[in-house]
Amino acid sequence: MKRKSKPVNDVILQTAAIIIFFIIVIFSIDLFFAGHYSPGGGFIGGLMTSSALVLLLLAFDSQTLKTVLPIDYRLMTATGLLIALGTSLHSIFWGRPFLTHAYDKFHLPLLGEQTLHTAIAFDLGVYLVVIGVTMTIIQTIGESE
Amino acid sequence: MNVLDVLIYISLAILVLAMMLMLYRVVKGPTTADRVIALDSIGIALISVVALLSILLDTTMYFEVILLLSILAFIGTVAFSKFLERGEIIQNDRNDDL
């Protein structure tokens, strides 16, 4: 490792990273919810969210990211797998085959008449697993000296 | 083939020529910084190619790719420049004075 005596100051990178972080997160949420009717989905949305977190890791350090987002990413992977398994299993209790999805129209308070599909819960599982695996890989490699 | 298609093909040819010249800089570039800047410029030119192709194919399905490529090019360039400056990409504690 290279040793530097004078402290480095990257205020431009840090200020830009804070703004761009929110833009990337909003874009990833848009990709996640757009997945049913247009390109996107859980996989690329999770990759974009984890790349936003990687941008924070680049501009700051891993201790800061652990302070502002105290998330255990291995627990996040397990939660995503459980959500995907739960949405796959619930159709068994209704006498349908495994992985049968269902949908219905709901009247939501602010959004009006919306069609909710259980595929989005499966996609949420994929999203959490992708974020968890990517961040686990990057943090494990980044922390090893 | 109307006028717009001809113009788009001409623009694509110019962009490919520019990307080939940037590729020459990637191969030849004396320092690593030259190569990083040339790769970043190739990414930006690739965004233009995707935009022109989405006009040519008359679809809006490629708009996500444009934003995605710009974000990935930015993060890759930042990571590589941090590696050039510090020697490591992800620090454990930046106030630790390394």
Side-chain angles (χ1 to χ4, degrees):
Chain A
M1 195 204 305
K2 216 165 26 175
R3 252 180 203 288
K4 269 195 192 296
S5 54
K6 63 171 188 190
V8 282
N9 184 7
D10 30 39
V11 69
I12 295 178
L13 174 63
Q14 288 172 357
T15 312
I18 292 171
I19 300 170
I20 292 172
F21 171 75
F22 288 105
I23 297 175
I24 301 178
V25 166
I26 288 170
F27 176 55
S28 74
I29 292 172
D30 173 67
L31 275 179
F32 173 71
F33 281 109
H36 204 75
Y37 290 112
S38 61
F43 183 74
I44 190 67
L47 275 184
M48 272 292 107
T49 308
S50 53
S51 73
L53 295 174
V54 165
L55 181 64
L56 281 190
L57 275 179
L58 288 174
F60 298 96
D61 48 44
S62 53
Q63 291 299 325
T64 310
L65 193 68
K66 269 178 197 157
T67 312
V68 296
L69 283 176
I71 299 170
D72 188 359
Y73 290 105
R74 285 171 295 180
L75 198 65
M76 195 180 212
T77 311
T79 314
L81 284 174
L82 269 183
I83 289 173
L85 187 66
T87 35
S88 313
L89 273 178
H90 85 282
S91 54
I92 283 182
F93 301 110
W94 304 92
R96 300 296 173 100
F98 183 64
L99 268 173
T100 306
H101 285 287
Y103 70 96
D104 201 0
K105 285 189 178 1
F106 290 99
H107 200 79
L108 297 177
L110 273 175
L111 303 171
E113 184 101 347
Q114 292 288 331
T115 310
L116 292 182
H117 199 282
T118 51
I120 199 166
F122 191 82
D123 229 12
L124 181 70
V126 175
Y127 180 79
L128 291 178
V129 168
V130 169
I131 294 176
V133 169
T134 315
M135 292 311 290
T136 307
I137 291 173
I138 288 173
Q139 277 192 339
T140 311
I141 294 176
E143 278 172 2
S144 67
E145 289 292 322
Chain B
M1 198 162 177
N2 53 7
V3 183
L4 183 65
D5 284 354
V6 175
L7 285 178
I8 288 172
Y9 278 121
I10 292 172
S11 315
L12 280 174
I14 294 172
L15 276 170
V16 168
L17 183 67
M19 284 167 80
M20 284 168 73
L21 291 177
M22 291 168 200
L23 203 63
Y24 169 75
R25 185 47 66 192
V26 171
V27 175
K28 189 71 193 296
T31 64
T32 316
D34 285 329
R35 295 191 171 94
V36 174
I37 294 290
L39 279 174
D40 194 40
S41 311
I42 286 178
I44 303 298
L46 202 62
I47 294 169
S48 319
V49 169
V50 173
L52 285 175
L53 275 181
S54 74
I55 299 175
L56 199 63
L57 300 175
D58 197 14
T59 175
T60 58
M61 294 293 171
Y62 290 146
F63 285 178
E64 278 91 357
V65 179
I66 295 172
L67 203 49
L68 207 79
L69 274 178
S70 59
I71 290 169
L72 288 183
F74 173 70
I75 291 179
T77 309
V78 167
F80 218 110
S81 52
K82 190 166 178 187
F83 175 71
L84 286 180
E85 192 185 2
R86 308 275 174 81
E88 61 175 349
I89 295 179
I90 296 173
Q91 295 167 294
N92 190 31
D93 192 357
R94 72 181 190 282
N95 298 319
D96 207 11
D97 204 17
L98 217 54

